[in-house]
Amino acid sequence: MTTTLYRATYLHTPSSPFIDAAALRAEDDGALLVEGGVIRAVGGYADLRAAHPDVPVSDLRGGLLLPGFIDTHVHFPQVRVIGGLGLPLLDWLEQCALPEEARMADAAYARGVARDFVGGLVQAGTTTALVFGSHFAGAVDELFTEATRVGLRCVSGLVVSDRLLRGELHTTPQRAYDEGRALIGRWHGVGRSLYAVTPRFSLSASEGVLDACGALMQEFGDVRFTSHINENTREIEVVRGLFPEARDYLGTYERAGLVGRRSVLAHNVWPTDRELGAMAEHRCTAAHCPCSNSALGSGFFPLRRHLDAGVHVSLGSDVGGGTGFSLLKEGLQAHFMQNLMGEGGVDLSPAHLLYLATLAGAQALGLEGQTGSFEVGKQFDAVYLSPAPGTPLDAVFRHASSAERALAAAFATGTPADVTRVWIGGAEVHTRSTRQTA
Ligand SMILES: O=c1[nH]c(=O)c2nc[nH]c2[nH]1
Ligand SMILES: [Zn+2]
């Protein structure tokens, strides 16, 4: 079993800074003892070195070591259509996303997309992702296969819909159930893969399809659930017309027994107070996708109302409605948007941003015992930010008055080019040599 002492400036949030003002932990000259992929000790380098004088040291000084990022809303089939700017949700789906999603019927095409997708995630420092899969079971197999090959913690499933998309993307309730059940059997709990029951959204899923999803949730106690909710005002109007009996958008999922501790609902830009209260009671998560909300003009996420209601919030890139895989960028955009909301916004510190990009996602997925922070007993899932010499981020890192200031700069200006090493379960899954700039 390999044992390594990683020496680095590291930061993590073992608790939520929305609850605990001292949640951010930082060590300027820190160390993590990792044995067989598991964190066995954390603390200052001098102390850990004295206690473990014979363990080989991996010297990561000069950059920042953070827990691996956790993206709780990202679409596998949309990596090649990032950048469809200037359209609201329903037009963007019709013109940009759905034509590409139809191509996923071809497993060989899906295989190439899976490589682009998983590569994009790990290069951005994402080590765990809740992924909207494909409408085609064969493509979902390709995604899990590639995630397994790379080592990504991947929670995903078959996307199901039976109306208002394109004919080739529609299924039936029976097929949704049968294909979902078979995929659960092949992938759920296999290696690092977990299954998520995934109706696309109530606009495209009849009560029959939602009930088929509910049946899978009942049958398989620990599969996860994900879908979209309250993203765009036009979408909400259409859903209201399709479900005249439902009290609101959340009610369409509640009726089928889909909302609980294992549920992650993306966006929730326009919730009612009733929905927020019920989400808190169900202990489900809202995945906030600030770049997507900006690119599709969906609106400002009411973070303050979520927090006041007690709703758990995590972060998602929402590629390809979003603009890329970087959770540093999502954190920055969340910060910008909350600032722009004035009195109604939440002042997000670097600690909040780090928590949203890491432990909050692990908690959303019920994986907080395994990942999301550098605590003893957790897996060594980590991202090392080491900007190229001569870049502005490198200048900040060399002159920052504290690790927290360096972290703020990482969110403000860091990109996947600064992500030079990524580990999942102790295995290095991505390495980028630092380029010298002129
Ligand atoms: O941002 C989004 N991206 C999608 O692909 C999608 N499908 C339904 N609702 C959606 N929202
Ligand atoms: Zn989405």
Side-chain angles (χ1 to χ4, degrees), residues 12-14 67-68 70 354-355 358-360 362 367-368 370-375 378-379 381:
H12 67 140
T13 52
I70 301 182
L354 183 61
Y355 168 73
T358 57
L359 186 66
L367 295 176
E368 67 274 21
Q370 290 178 46
T371 189
S373 61
F374 292 143
E375 288 169 281
K378 289 195 183 187
Q379 300 281 310
D381 291 357

Side-chain angles (χ1 to χ4, degrees), residues 73-75 78 132 228 231 266-267 289 292 318-319:
H73 186 69
V74 58
H75 293 254
Q78 296 178 5
F132 245 73
H228 296 95
E231 178 175 3
H267 297 291
C289 307
S292 168
D318 198 25
V319 158

Side-chain angles (χ1 to χ4, degrees), residues 41 92 126 296 405 417 424:
W92 176 80
T126 294
L296 300 177
R405 293 319 311 157
I424 306 178

Side-chain angles (χ1 to χ4, degrees), residues 290-308:
C291 287
S292 168
N293 292 345
S294 305
L296 300 177
S298 302
F300 286 88
F301 179 70
L303 177 59
R304 168 67 60 210
R305 289 179 58 219
H306 281 74
L307 296 175
D308 288 349

Side-chain angles (χ1 to χ4, degrees), residues 5-6 10 30-34 40-53 55:
L5 192 62
Y6 292 94
Y10 72 77
L32 285 85
L33 182 74
V34 177
R40 294 296 180 201
V42 296
Y45 173 75
D47 290 347
L48 260 69
R49 188 64 182 145
H52 304 277
V55 172

Side-chain angles (χ1 to χ4, degrees), residues 253-305:
Y253 297 131
E254 286 175 309
R255 189 202 57 80
L258 299 172
V259 191
R261 174 70 187 80
R262 296 171 285 139
S263 308
V264 178
L265 294 167
H267 297 291
N268 213 31
V269 175
W270 303 102
T272 64
D273 289 344
R274 201 297 294 177
E275 290 174 304
L276 288 173
M279 286 175 75
E281 260 173 46
H282 291 302
R283 298 177 63 218
C284 70
T285 295
H288 174 30
C289 307
C291 287
S292 168
N293 292 345
S294 305
L296 300 177
S298 302
F300 286 88
F301 179 70
L303 177 59
R304 168 67 60 210
R305 289 179 58 219

